[in-house]
Amino acid sequence: MNRFTKLIGAAGVSLLLAGSLAGCGGSSGGGAGGAALDITKTNLPKTAADINGTIDKSKVKKSLVVGVDNPYYLFHEDIEVALDKGYFKEFGIDKVQVKTVDDPLPPLIGGSLDMALYDSDTAMAAAKKSNEGVRFLSVYLGGEANVLGVGKGINSAADLKGKTITGGQFGSRNDAILRELLQANGVDPVRDVKIVSTGGQSDSRLQAIIAGTVKGASIQLRHESLLQKAGGKVLFQQTRQVPQNGWSADKLLKDSPETVAAFLAATLKARQFITNQANKDAVLTLMRAKKYDIPAAYADVYGQENSPTYHVGDGGFKPADMDKFIKDQIGFKNVPAGTDWRKYTYLVPLWRAQKALGLPLDPALKDL
């Protein structure tokens, strides 16, 4: 990203950008099936004018396999809408196969997945620990709802004393922010409650509350009405902007960077359709036809979960938000100390996709 030379001087920019985009793909070139290019330190844009918004379909890999860690429709809808609307074909991709796996990073590093949708911090931590070519590309979810749902009989912070609750697996993002939410509401996560580690997604944690296995758990916005029907409630809630989840790639960046830009362009075009609230019924009808489970309670929060600030409309983020997010995750020991997110983030494909769609560059070059 040596991209703001004119603003602060070539020497300073060279030093910053050598670190912030080390190990990442170039802005164009590298056909599918061709020789892998070392695009880690070359073809980096100096200005917005250097970003090529025209995607060469002859260089795009026709078939992709991508990994997603959550079966909930929100994490699949960009792909399903892009397939249904022909957006992938518009940018040269004929087929996209989605595999739902608990942790898509090992198969991404191993090469059986072309791209992965996963937690931003986990992807960057894996990149640092493995010293592989994993690079974070764009934000998928930038809104974060930190919600503590509780069962019958829990009406206050005092009622939580001595009770068993869960944020999911120890060391996960949900576990970390649950502890933060407790502290913000006067509950000591060590002395006042017993926090246990559990597997599965947030749907499983909801069922654990309803079944009485735990008295409280980290849940999602879509679960509130279901919990209320079972006699429970949301005790604490906090929503904020956090670049928590997004797309990453590894070998595909070197083998076919054009394909990465094409994939992001197609899915961002789908997201523009999805976040337009006038298309809610069309999106939900499509996703239900694809056999995704979307009860009325989940549909009711479409406007919140599919707002352009939550399901980020352009895939971008504020660098200051990422700074804080990674700093917090280092504090929670979910990311290795000393991790510089810029070294494991590569924004050229996102910028190319944004430019192809006529969207402003986000993050803007000057902000980096």
Side-chain angles (χ1 to χ4, degrees):
M1 300 179 225
N2 39 344
R3 54 223 172 242
F4 48 108
T5 306
K6 294 182 180 179
L7 296 177
I8 62 173
V13 171
S14 297
L15 288 172
L16 172 62
L17 298 175
S20 65
L21 287 182
C24 305
S27 61
S28 63
L37 299 176
D38 181 4
I39 52 175
T40 62
K41 299 179 177 66
T42 60
N43 300 327
L44 302 177
K46 296 182 178 65
T47 68
D50 296 330
I51 296 171
N52 179 12
T54 301
I55 294 171
D56 186 347
K57 293 194 290 186
S58 70
K59 295 179 179 179
V60 172
K61 188 176 178 182
K62 300 305 178 187
S63 180
L64 297 176
V65 181
V66 302
V68 179
D69 77 312
N70 195 321
Y72 184 46
Y73 90 96
L74 180 67
F75 295 86
H76 298 254
E77 60 184 348
D78 285 11
I79 293 172
E80 296 289 5
V81 170
L83 287 168
D84 183 71
K85 296 289 183 183
Y87 298 156
F88 280 123
K89 288 186 180 295
E90 178 181 339
F91 292 101
I93 299 170
D94 292 333
K95 179 182 178 182
V96 178
Q97 178 185 359
V98 183
K99 293 187 176 182
T100 304
V101 294
D102 287 340
D103 184 353
L105 292 178
L108 181 71
I109 293 171
S112 59
L113 292 179
D114 293 303
M115 299 182 67
L117 181 59
Y118 204 37
D119 295 339
S120 312
D121 56 322
T122 306
M124 294 177 195
K128 182 174 178 63
K129 291 175 182 177
S130 68
N131 199 31
E132 295 286 345
V134 175
R135 294 296 176 264
F136 183 76
L137 302 169
S138 73
V139 170
Y140 193 85
L141 296 184
E144 182 176 62
N146 189 3
V147 183
L148 175 66
V150 295
K152 295 178 182 179
I154 306 296
N155 299 303
S156 67
D159 292 335
L160 282 176
K161 296 290 179 72
K163 302 301 190 297
T164 299
I165 63 176
T166 183
Q169 292 182 343
F170 284 160
S172 69
R173 173 69 180 164
N174 284 320
D175 177 64
I177 63 174
L178 172 66
R179 295 168 190 267
E180 183 179 306
L181 186 64
L182 291 170
Q183 289 177 322
N185 287 277
V187 179
D188 189 313
V190 176
R191 297 190 184 94
D192 294 340
V193 294
K194 179 182 179 182
I195 300 180
V196 296
S197 181
T198 56
Q201 298 290 344
S202 55
D203 289 355
S204 299
R205 295 195 293 275
L206 170 67
Q207 293 305 317
I209 301 173
I210 294 173
T213 307
V214 296
K215 284 295 184 180
S218 171
I219 59 173
Q220 297 297 323
L221 295 169
R222 61 185 180 271
H223 296 135
E224 183 172 3
S225 63
L226 295 174
L227 182 57
Q228 288 173 342
K229 289 179 182 178
K233 62 170 63 67
V234 166
L235 188 61
F236 306 138
Q237 180 173 333
Q238 176 187 72
T239 302
R240 56 190 178 183
Q241 289 302 118
V242 177
Q244 56 167 314
N245 171 281
W247 286 106
S248 297
D250 188 349
K251 300 179 187 304
L252 189 64
L253 278 171
K254 293 184 175 67
D255 294 342
S256 182
E258 204 76 7
T259 303
V260 179
F263 179 89
L264 292 179
T267 51
L268 284 182
K269 187 169 183 176
R271 199 177 310 178
Q272 297 289 305
F273 182 87
I274 291 164
T275 56
N276 180 344
Q277 298 301 308
N279 297 320
K280 171 183 173 179
D281 289 343
V283 173
L284 292 178
T285 297
L286 171 65
M287 298 306 289
R288 284 176 172 138
K290 296 289 184 178
K291 307 303 181 184
Y292 291 90
D293 182 26
I294 313 175
Y298 292 7
D300 288 344
V301 294
Y302 184 97
Q304 295 167 273
E305 292 188 329
N306 287 291
S307 72
T309 55
Y310 195 94
H311 187 192
V312 183
D314 61 6
F317 60 92
K318 293 180 180 178
D321 288 344
M322 188 68 83
D323 285 336
K324 183 179 186 309
F325 175 53
I326 297 302
K327 181 180 179 181
D328 288 347
Q329 293 308 98
I330 290 174
F332 289 129
K333 301 188 185 305
N334 293 331
V335 173
T339 298
D340 179 358
W341 64 265
R342 291 167 176 81
K343 291 183 179 180
Y344 308 107
T345 300
Y346 183 58
L347 296 176
V348 172
L350 174 63
W351 286 329
R352 294 191 63 205
Q354 291 169 340
K355 199 164 188 178
L357 298 175
L359 299 172
L361 303 186
D362 181 22
L365 301 183
K366 64 181 179 62
D367 294 336
L368 291 162

